[in-house]
């Protein structure tokens, strides 16, 4: 019979030694500077909303539960598939989006970040996500009943890893919280949140949903510390390197590899590799989004979208919309319809027709039939505005391209 983990020393080290941390701290320093600079970039609310959908897509994809971008878009309009399995995935996608919004509002600043390191917060994350699903969604295909926010009440194994005894979960979670909540310095806090991601998975506090909770925790922690501004998340990077993500998680479960591998029960070298991977993923996502948000490039991309609408789709959209559209993007304000039309330089009637076309195509949004307009970011415009940001959404839009002009 295999002995279960029941003593907190069995998942040490929770942080690498001071010497092993040095290159990680340098990496975290560079990440922090770049992330804070990006987080202050003004962007329209529509972009942040789209990025939440993208985060949801990628978290589900990591779990092997694929939901296409347009299916998420339909679900956000409460237009769920008649196929029960697909509808469940759609509701899970919406639950992730709504949970992100709620958690980012609840855990703010250093105080919020410190509260995230607690058993109560981990249960809160699980409940915030899974509490939005129907009982049928929760238990479809699951051997155990999933109770939102409830720690598991039986012993489990995950791959080669035998998780701690369920009776020992409170003390493992308390040790996890005590160590990481005491790591408050900027660079060290980034190293800590990467380590915490792994060690929370090692504890495996829930019967199901641990991976999603781990990723929500990391995402929410980065937001609370002011590093994301809603403009990037490591979830995209994890999903684009899923095999490596899982391989490094599994490697960091391994026992110490001899006297040169730290002084804890688990491998320090593998934990260092995992942390370095997480920091690299974050750096890649920050650099990618910084490139996407270069305003000079953006004006050119908006122009390309308008040219396609005008000359290929003949949708009623005109290049004359470039100036007000670009203005709405960089200011993230709502503009009265009359002001928008005036900025186009077109005659009143022509400008009115184009305004309607922009709204029909989702390139503008408005809360009321005659209300002010904001910059819109429909999936079909992504390939122009933010190429390679979400290529799966561009693939979904292929029928629109094939039907262009028909």
């Amino acid at each position: 019979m295999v002995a279960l983990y029941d003593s907190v020393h069995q998942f040490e080290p929770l942080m690498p030694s001071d010497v092993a941390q040095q290159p990680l701290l340098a990496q975290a320093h560079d990440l922090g500077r770049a992330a804070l600079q990006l987080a202050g970039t003004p962007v329209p609310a529509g972009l942040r909303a789209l990025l939440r959908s993208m985060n949801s897509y990628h978290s589900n994809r990591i779990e092997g539960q694929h939901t296409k971008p347009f299916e998420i878009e339909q679900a956000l309009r409460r237009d769920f598939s008649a196929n029960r399995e697909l509808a469940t995935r759609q509701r899970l996608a919406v639950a992730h989006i709504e949970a992100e919004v709620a958690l980012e509002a609840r855990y703010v600043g250093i105080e919020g970040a410190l509260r995230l390191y607690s058993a109560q917060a981990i249960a809160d994350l699980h409940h915030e996500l899974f509490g939005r699903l129907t009982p049928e969604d929760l238990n479809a295909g699951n051997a155990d009943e999933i109770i939102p926010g409830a720690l598991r009440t039986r012993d489990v194994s995950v791959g080669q890893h035998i998780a701690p005894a369920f009776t020992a979960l409170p003390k493992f979670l308390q040790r996890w919280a005590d160590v990481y909540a005491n790591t408050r310095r900027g660079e060290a806090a980034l190293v800590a949140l990467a380590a915490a991601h792994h060690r929370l998975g090692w504890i495996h506090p829930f019967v199901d949903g641990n991976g999603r909770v781990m990723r929500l925790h990391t995402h929410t922690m980065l937001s609370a510390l002011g590093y994301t501004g809603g403009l990037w998340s490591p979830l995209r990077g994890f999903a684009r390197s899923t095999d490596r993500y899982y391989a490094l998680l599994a490697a960091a479960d391994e026992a110490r590899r001899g006297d040169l591998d730290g002084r804890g029960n688990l491998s320090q070298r593998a934990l260092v590799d995992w942390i370095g991977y997480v920091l690299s993923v974050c750096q890649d996502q920050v650099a990618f989004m910084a490139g996407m948000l270069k305003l000079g490039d953006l004006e050119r991309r908006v122009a390309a979208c308008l040219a396609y609408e005008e000359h290929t789709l003949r949708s009623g959209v005109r290049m004359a919309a470039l100036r007000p559209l670009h203005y709405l993007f960089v200011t993230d304000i709502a503009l009265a319809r009359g002001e928008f039309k005036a900025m186009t330089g077109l005659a009143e009637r022509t400008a009115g027709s184009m305004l309607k076309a922009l709204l029909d195509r989702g390139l503008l949004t408005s809360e009321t039939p005659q209300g002010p307009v904001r910059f819109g970011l429909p999936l079909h415009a992504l390939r122009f505005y933010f190429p390679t940001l979400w290529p799966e959404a561009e693939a979904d839009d292929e029928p629109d391209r094939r039907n262009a002009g028909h």
Side-chain angles (χ1 to χ4, degrees):
M1 180 177 178
V2 178
L4 297 175
Y5 295 110
D6 59 6
S7 177
V8 294
H9 82 273
Q10 293 171 310
F11 77 145
E12 295 287 350
L14 274 75
M15 288 285 281
S17 68
D18 290 345
V19 172
Q21 277 192 57
Q22 291 310 307
L24 297 174
L25 290 170
Q27 189 178 0
H29 174 76
D30 293 342
L31 166 61
R33 289 186 61 185
L36 289 173
Q37 183 176 359
L38 175 63
T41 305
V43 298
L47 175 58
R48 290 187 172 89
L50 182 138
L51 292 174
R52 292 192 193 284
S53 293
M54 190 177 75
N55 293 342
S56 174
Y57 168 88
H58 284 128
S59 194
N60 277 351
R61 180 179 170 184
I62 292 168
E63 298 294 328
Q65 294 179 312
H66 184 68
T67 308
K68 294 180 179 179
F70 81 88
E71 292 167 343
I72 298 175
E73 194 173 53
Q74 290 173 329
L76 287 168
R77 298 194 301 266
R78 296 303 188 260
D79 178 14
F80 296 101
S81 172
N83 180 290
R84 180 175 175 179
E85 183 179 345
L86 174 55
T88 294
R89 295 200 304 272
Q90 285 179 302
R91 283 189 286 269
L92 183 57
V94 172
H96 189 285
I97 293 166
E98 293 177 347
E100 264 195 22
V101 174
L103 294 168
E104 287 178 12
R106 188 173 304 152
Y107 298 97
V108 180
I110 186 63
E111 181 183 340
L114 293 177
R115 286 193 294 115
L116 278 166
Y117 287 127
S118 68
Q120 181 180 353
I122 296 307
D124 183 35
L125 266 65
H126 191 271
H127 188 275
E128 195 65 59
L129 177 59
F130 291 100
R132 298 174 184 275
L133 301 179
T134 68
E136 292 76 19
D137 291 338
L138 285 172
N139 298 305
N142 292 303
D144 296 275
E145 180 183 6
I146 299 175
I147 302 174
L151 300 181
R152 59 182 166 87
T153 56
R154 69 173 179 85
D155 297 327
V156 298
S157 60
V158 186
Q160 299 299 312
H161 173 55
I162 300 173
F166 76 89
T167 53
L169 288 175
K171 62 182 178 182
F172 274 100
L173 286 170
Q174 187 59 55
R175 175 62 177 165
W176 176 88
D178 289 344
V179 169
Y180 296 123
N182 283 322
T183 310
R184 305 185 182 191
R185 188 160 50 91
E187 293 85 358
L190 287 168
V191 172
L193 71 85
H197 186 115
H198 177 271
R199 291 319 196 224
L200 182 59
W202 188 92
I203 297 170
H204 202 83
F206 307 105
V207 70
D208 196 18
N210 293 277
R212 289 186 174 87
V213 169
M214 291 152 58
R215 292 187 292 275
L216 265 178
H217 184 271
T218 298
H219 172 93
T220 309
M221 181 66 72
L222 286 165
S223 172
L225 293 172
Y227 286 117
T228 67
L231 296 180
W232 67 276
S233 174
L235 301 185
R236 180 178 179 273
F238 293 155
R240 293 171 68 84
S241 57
T242 302
D243 289 345
R244 183 160 174 74
Y245 173 81
Y246 279 124
L248 288 170
L249 276 177
D253 289 339
E254 295 175 2
R256 180 160 56 98
R257 305 164 184 171
D259 290 341
L260 299 180
D261 191 19
R263 290 294 178 266
N265 188 56
L266 302 182
S267 170
Q268 175 175 267
R269 178 67 259 168
L271 180 62
V272 167
D273 290 344
W274 163 257
I275 296 169
Y277 161 76
V278 173
L279 296 177
S280 293
V281 163
C282 291
Q283 287 176 301
D284 288 345
Q285 295 310 302
V286 169
F288 176 78
M289 282 306 299
M292 288 289 99
L293 292 172
K294 288 181 179 176
L295 296 184
D297 289 347
L298 181 68
E299 186 171 11
R300 174 181 53 78
R301 291 184 230 136
V302 174
C305 178
L306 295 178
Y308 177 75
E309 292 280 338
E310 181 174 3
H311 301 300
T312 304
L313 290 184
R314 302 183 186 278
S315 63
V317 170
R318 294 170 177 245
M319 186 62 71
L322 177 59
R323 181 167 171 250
L325 273 181
H326 186 253
Y327 174 76
L328 285 177
F329 184 97
V330 298
T331 59
D332 188 26
I333 64 170
L335 198 61
R337 296 185 182 215
E339 291 181 69
F340 185 94
K341 289 187 286 186
M343 289 181 72
T344 68
L346 298 173
E348 172 68 23
R349 185 172 179 178
T350 304
S353 296
M354 184 181 70
L355 181 65
K356 181 180 183 303
L358 288 163
L359 288 163
D360 289 344
R361 291 291 289 159
L363 298 170
L364 287 176
T365 64
S366 181
E367 294 182 0
T368 63
Q370 298 301 321
V373 294
R374 287 185 174 274
F375 188 89
L377 191 54
L379 287 179
H380 65 77
L382 266 187
R383 66 180 182 271
F384 297 107
Y385 290 169
F386 300 107
T388 72
L389 173 63
W390 197 3
E392 297 84 0
E394 297 176 28
D396 278 346
D397 193 42
E398 284 298 326
D400 181 65
R401 296 195 215 187
R402 290 194 296 269
N403 294 329
H406 292 275

